[in-house]
Amino acid sequence: MRIDAITIFPEYFAPLQLSLIGKAQERGILEVKIYDLRDFTSDNHHTVDDTPYGGGAGMVMKPEVWGDALDQVLTPDSDLIILTPAGRRFDQRMAEEFAASKHLIFACGRYEGIDARVGQYYSQEQFHSQSIRVHEVSIGDYVLGGGEVASLVMIEAITRLLPGVLGNPDSLVEESHAHEGFLEYPNYTKPPIWRDIPVPEVLLSGNHAAIAKWRADEAARRAKNQL
């Protein structure tokens, strides 16, 4: 999979060199490239924003700068992800959908967001014929300073689903949200008693059927408590 991110703060993406994602890049499973949006500006001040039409607080990111950047980064069969609080809510199902993509592009807005015409332009039929898809996505009902943190959340959730990224692929089977309405059961390790709190006795019993039932009951209890 190829992942590109366009941002005015490339340093935000340094964590992608760490842990499983960093190792996946070393092994050639994943290719990641970060672009500085200001490199696509044409004025001496590298301006990426301007005042909004109709008035209001804040600044809006300029469509021509984003257009110049995306024209160079988009390839046939790309998924363009525009991070916005008004977008579709990101969840595990969407992570699975994006994990099947060949090329993800994260457009990280700042200020009051990216001029709406950018998404509108790349949603036109001429781009559909190139299998270019535009997605407006939010990671939750709260406001961040920009799309960088949201992109990191999504990239981590998506890339861990790629074959070869996790050391033990069986870890994906019993994770929270791996199945609709499912939350993972509590997990424990040694010692059997920590600060006077014991591990549930059933987990020490060696009775695999009883352990499986306990785990299923605990997962159901957690899911019910989330309602």
Side-chain angles (χ1 to χ4, degrees):
M1 174 186 281
R2 172 180 166 185
I3 293 179
D4 295 322
I6 307 173
T7 172
I8 60 171
F9 294 116
E11 299 84 357
Y12 253 103
F13 290 90
L16 296 182
Q17 302 305 314
L18 304 175
S19 190
L20 295 174
I21 297 177
K23 292 176 181 178
Q25 292 175 73
E26 293 173 2
R27 295 200 299 267
I29 299 171
L30 186 63
E31 177 186 358
V32 177
K33 188 167 184 180
I34 310 303
Y35 295 85
D36 188 338
L37 182 65
R38 296 190 190 278
D39 290 341
F40 299 92
T41 57
S42 57
D43 66 307
N44 292 335
H45 298 288
H46 302 292
T47 306
V48 297
D49 60 336
D50 207 335
T51 55
Y53 279 123
M59 304 289 277
V60 177
M61 301 192 90
K62 296 164 67 68
E64 57 265 53
V65 180
W66 275 102
D68 289 345
L70 290 168
D71 286 347
Q72 294 192 40
V73 176
L74 280 165
T75 60
D77 207 9
S78 295
D79 285 282
L80 170 59
I81 299 170
I82 300 175
L83 283 308
T84 167
R88 178 182 164 204
R89 177 81 67 86
F90 182 70
D91 58 17
Q92 188 68 22
R93 181 174 295 180
M94 196 186 301
E96 292 169 358
E97 293 172 4
F98 286 140
S101 177
K102 295 180 180 178
H103 184 200
L104 299 176
I105 302 171
F106 290 85
C108 303
R110 283 263 154 182
Y111 318 121
E112 297 304 308
I114 301 170
D115 188 301
R117 289 170 293 181
V118 173
Q120 181 181 348
Y121 176 79
Y122 292 103
S123 295
Q124 295 180 96
E125 183 59 38
Q126 60 179 312
F127 295 103
H128 288 176
S129 64
Q130 302 175 47
S131 296
I132 293 172
R133 298 162 293 273
V134 178
H135 313 268
E136 293 191 344
V137 181
S138 165
I139 64 167
D141 296 334
Y142 43 84
V143 178
L144 300 170
E148 290 79 10
V149 172
S151 294
L152 288 171
V153 168
M154 292 183 63
I155 291 170
E156 174 125 345
I158 293 164
T159 56
R160 66 195 312 279
L161 300 175
L162 301 178
V165 172
L166 287 185
N168 182 1
D170 290 341
S171 298
L172 295 173
V173 176
E174 294 186 343
E175 289 185 324
S176 293
H177 309 296
H179 311 283
E180 188 164 349
F182 178 89
L183 295 177
E184 192 174 2
Y185 48 78
N187 285 289
Y188 302 86
T189 187
K190 298 173 183 176
I193 299 176
W194 176 77
R195 296 187 180 179
D196 297 327
I197 303 174
V199 171
E201 187 174 346
V202 65
L203 299 179
L204 308 177
S205 68
N207 185 330
H208 297 295
I211 290 171
K213 182 179 185 306
W214 179 87
R215 286 175 168 172
D217 290 344
E218 286 297 303
R221 180 185 60 79
R222 281 185 163 185
K224 183 178 180 180
N225 289 342
Q226 289 289 321
L227 298 176

